[in-house]
């Protein structure tokens, strides 16, 4: 069966695409809401943004256990509906003029908690919709949609905010989540048996043992945690470089960041074929190696800018973003497909939640660390530290047994 003939996957893909666009609209609309409508500062924006990720750090491992105890489609429907209702509340409170930074953070913590459960169930639900040999191809379709949303979502969000205002832009996203929930509810699939309840600590340990004692998954997990640390450092430093060192405005920053989305679209289009040609492990190793050189292009922009060649500096930054996004596009579907392929159904929720929670914890550390290094050592030195870290991750991955990983002879 081809993916387009799988009506359940097609419905899932449409629902996922719709909510992905809404997510990028919300990210921009919240920032405008805090600064423009509420008169908040940059610190307020930082606290509001961080509040969405707090549940990933605090509840990630527990979420994995609960996901494995319930039917994943039910979790997806409830969390989509819940997030839509929360955004409606934020919209109404904003229109009435009674919202505060504290209340907004509280609502976004709830929003983040629902997103945590949704993301864990989402990644664990795909193997119930498509045969395991098609997981890489299915994830490539989902990643393509996410990349398109990443590229065009901020622009659409900016247009909506300008046209109807930040509160009503959030309402638009609320409708996208409600639509996604309704569509998810209509999906027909064969549910897997729920995990038998037991001591919470024991089930968390079972998930951790699976992730960190598996021959290949252990290396993939540890390497990815380190990658997220240096990735978040890189992105923090890059934004500061573009706005402060190169002197570009926020709108141009949006286009620069969108270049990574363009590269990701190209990468996800090639990902299944690259996996077949070289094997999942070697294809992922190639991607991990590519990140370091991609950021070198961004570092060269600083050197070029010293000579007052601002447009050439811009070209180097865009090229770096394109290659960076391309590497992410190649790697994403292969990594997700491999994780889903080797993990038993009763451990899918715990595997996905464990990786996501620790990866997001690395972001919580890496993002401020990148900013601190940039302030203390300068943009160039901080960026080269990130390059060194990403390069070490690539070499570590390429020299590990993970490079030999395959998916049933990669018949994707």
């Amino acid at each position: 069966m081809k993916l387009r003939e799988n009506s359940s996957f097609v419905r899932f893909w449409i629902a996922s695409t719709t909510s992905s666009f809404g997510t990028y609209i919300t990210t921009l609309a919240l920032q405008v809401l805090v600064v423009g409508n509420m008169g908040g500062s940059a610190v307020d924006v930082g606290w509001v943004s961080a509040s969405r990720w707090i549940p990933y750090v605090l509840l990630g491992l527990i979420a994995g256990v609960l996901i494995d105890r319930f039917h994943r489609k039910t979790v997806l429907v409830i969390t989509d509906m819940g997030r839509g209702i929360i955004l409606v509340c934020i919209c109404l409170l904003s229109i009435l003029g009674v919202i505060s930074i504290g209340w907004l953070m509280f609502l976004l913590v709830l929003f983040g908690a629902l997103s945590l459960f949704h993301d864990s169930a989402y990644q664990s639900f795909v193997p119930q919709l498509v045969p395991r040999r098609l997981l890489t191809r299915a994830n490539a379709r989902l990643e393509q949609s996410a990349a398109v949303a990443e590229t065009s979502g901020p622009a659409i969000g900016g247009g909506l905010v300008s046209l109807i205002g930040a509160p009503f832009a959030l309402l638009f996203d609320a409708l996208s989540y409600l639509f996604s929930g309704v569509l998810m509810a209509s999906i027909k699939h064969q549910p897997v048996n729920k995990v038998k309840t037991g001591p919470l600590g024991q089930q968390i340990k079972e998930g951790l043992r699976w992730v960190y004692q598996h021959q290949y998954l252990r290396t993939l997990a540890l390497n990815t945690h380190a990658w997220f640390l240096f990735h978040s450092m890189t992105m923090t430093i890059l934004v500061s470089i573009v706005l402060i060192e190169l002197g570009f405005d926020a709108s141009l920053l949006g286009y620069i960041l969108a270049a990574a989305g363009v590269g990701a679209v190209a990468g996800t289009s090639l990902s299944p074929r690259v996996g077949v040609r070289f094997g999942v492990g070697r294809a992922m190793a190639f991607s991990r190696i590519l990140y370091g050189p991609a950021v070198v292009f961004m570092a060269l922009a600083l050197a070029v800018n010293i000579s007052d060649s601002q447009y050439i500096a811009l070209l180097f930054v865009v090229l770096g973003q394109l290659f960076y996004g391309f590497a992410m596009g190649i790697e994403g579907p292969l990594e997700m497909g491999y994780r889903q392929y080797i993990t038993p159904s009763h451990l899918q929720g715990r595997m996905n939640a464990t990786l996501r929670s620790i990866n997001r914890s690395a972001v919580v550390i890496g993002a401020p660390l990148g900013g601190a290094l940039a302030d203390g050592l300068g943009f160039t030195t901080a960026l080269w530290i990130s390059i060194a870290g990403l390069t070490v991750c690539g070499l570590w991955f390429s020299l590990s047994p993970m490079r030999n990983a395959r998916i049933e002879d990669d018949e994707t």
Side-chain angles (χ1 to χ4, degrees):
M1 174 186 289
K2 296 181 179 180
L3 285 176
R4 63 175 177 270
E5 297 172 352
N6 186 328
S7 61
S8 294
F9 176 77
V10 170
R11 288 169 183 253
F12 180 81
W13 174 71
I14 293 173
S16 171
T17 302
T18 303
S19 60
S20 291
F21 274 94
T23 297
Y24 284 101
I25 293 171
T26 290
T27 300
L28 187 144
L30 283 172
Q31 294 173 337
V32 175
L33 179 69
V34 172
V35 177
N37 296 66
M38 302 174 64
S41 65
V43 175
D44 292 326
V45 174
W47 280 113
V48 167
S49 298
S51 63
R52 297 174 62 181
W53 301 111
I54 290 174
Y56 284 83
V57 179
L58 300 179
L59 302 174
L61 299 179
I62 297 174
V65 173
L66 297 179
I67 291 298
D68 285 333
R69 289 183 178 182
F70 296 97
H71 291 306
R72 286 149 194 169
K73 188 179 85 169
T74 303
V75 175
L76 290 171
V77 173
I78 292 174
T79 52
D80 266 341
M81 294 293 188
R83 289 187 294 177
I85 292 171
I86 289 174
L87 291 179
V88 169
C89 291
I90 294 175
C91 174
L92 292 176
L93 291 174
S94 301
I95 294 172
L96 295 173
V98 296
I99 196 168
S100 65
I101 295 296
W103 273 109
L104 182 59
M105 289 179 60
F106 172 74
L107 290 171
L108 287 177
V109 167
L110 296 180
F111 184 93
L114 291 175
S115 296
L116 165 63
F117 282 92
H118 181 277
D119 291 347
S120 299
Y122 170 95
Q123 294 176 337
S124 307
F125 191 49
V126 177
Q128 295 179 227
L129 300 178
V130 300
R132 294 206 166 201
R133 64 184 180 83
L134 293 179
L135 283 172
T136 298
R137 194 173 298 278
N139 281 291
R141 296 294 178 269
L142 295 169
E143 292 281 348
Q144 283 172 343
S145 297
V148 172
E150 179 184 358
T151 304
S152 56
I156 295 173
L160 280 173
V161 169
S162 299
L163 184 63
I164 61 178
F168 289 103
L170 290 174
L171 185 61
F172 184 91
D173 188 20
L175 294 175
S176 76
Y177 282 121
L178 295 173
F179 172 78
S180 176
V182 171
L183 202 56
M184 287 284 187
S186 69
I187 293 175
K188 296 180 180 179
H189 74 292
Q190 183 65 39
V192 298
N193 294 328
K194 293 181 288 186
V195 175
K196 295 181 179 179
T197 57
L200 183 65
Q202 179 181 339
Q203 290 189 286
I204 290 176
K205 289 179 182 178
E206 185 180 1
L208 290 171
R209 280 197 300 268
W210 170 255
V211 171
Y212 295 109
Q213 292 184 5
H214 188 278
Q215 178 185 8
Y216 294 150
L217 192 55
R218 176 180 62 250
T219 299
L220 176 59
L222 294 174
N223 191 275
T224 302
H225 300 334
W227 180 88
F228 264 94
L229 176 72
F230 292 107
H231 165 73
S232 59
M233 287 174 56
T234 300
M235 291 300 103
T236 300
I237 298 167
L238 174 64
V239 170
S240 300
I241 286 174
V242 171
L243 294 178
I244 299 173
E245 190 72 10
L246 301 181
F248 296 131
D249 59 22
S251 62
L252 191 54
L253 171 64
Y255 287 112
I256 290 172
L257 296 178
V262 175
V265 172
T268 53
S269 300
L270 295 174
S271 182
R273 281 177 284 179
V274 173
V276 170
R277 177 67 178 83
F278 299 103
V280 167
R282 286 181 171 80
M284 290 180 61
F286 165 75
S287 297
R288 297 275 164 121
I289 286 290
L290 191 59
Y291 290 117
V295 183
V296 169
F297 275 101
M298 305 177 201
L300 291 175
L302 286 172
V304 170
N305 192 59
I306 295 175
S307 304
D308 294 325
S309 302
Q310 194 176 37
Y311 291 108
I312 298 178
L314 174 62
L315 177 62
F316 274 115
V317 174
V318 170
L319 284 175
Q321 282 288 92
L322 282 170
F323 281 116
Y324 202 92
F326 179 75
M328 293 178 69
I330 289 285
E331 176 188 6
L334 296 174
E335 178 189 348
M336 185 58 63
Y338 180 75
R339 283 162 42 185
Q340 293 168 340
Y341 178 80
I342 64 172
T343 302
S345 295
H346 71 281
L347 287 170
Q348 287 279 343
R350 279 169 283 178
M351 177 273 292
N352 286 312
T354 295
L355 290 172
R356 287 188 69 85
S357 63
I358 299 179
N359 288 341
R360 294 306 180 272
S361 298
V363 172
V364 171
I365 297 171
L369 177 60
L373 289 173
D375 287 342
L377 303 176
F379 294 121
T380 301
T381 302
L383 200 57
W384 279 104
I385 291 174
S386 292
I387 291 169
L390 291 170
T391 301
V392 169
C393 287
L395 292 173
W396 168 17
F397 194 99
S398 300
L399 297 175
S400 73
M402 182 64 203
R403 70 182 185 275
N404 298 317
R406 303 185 72 86
I407 295 180
E408 201 178 67
D409 294 328
D410 302 300
E411 293 179 2
T412 55

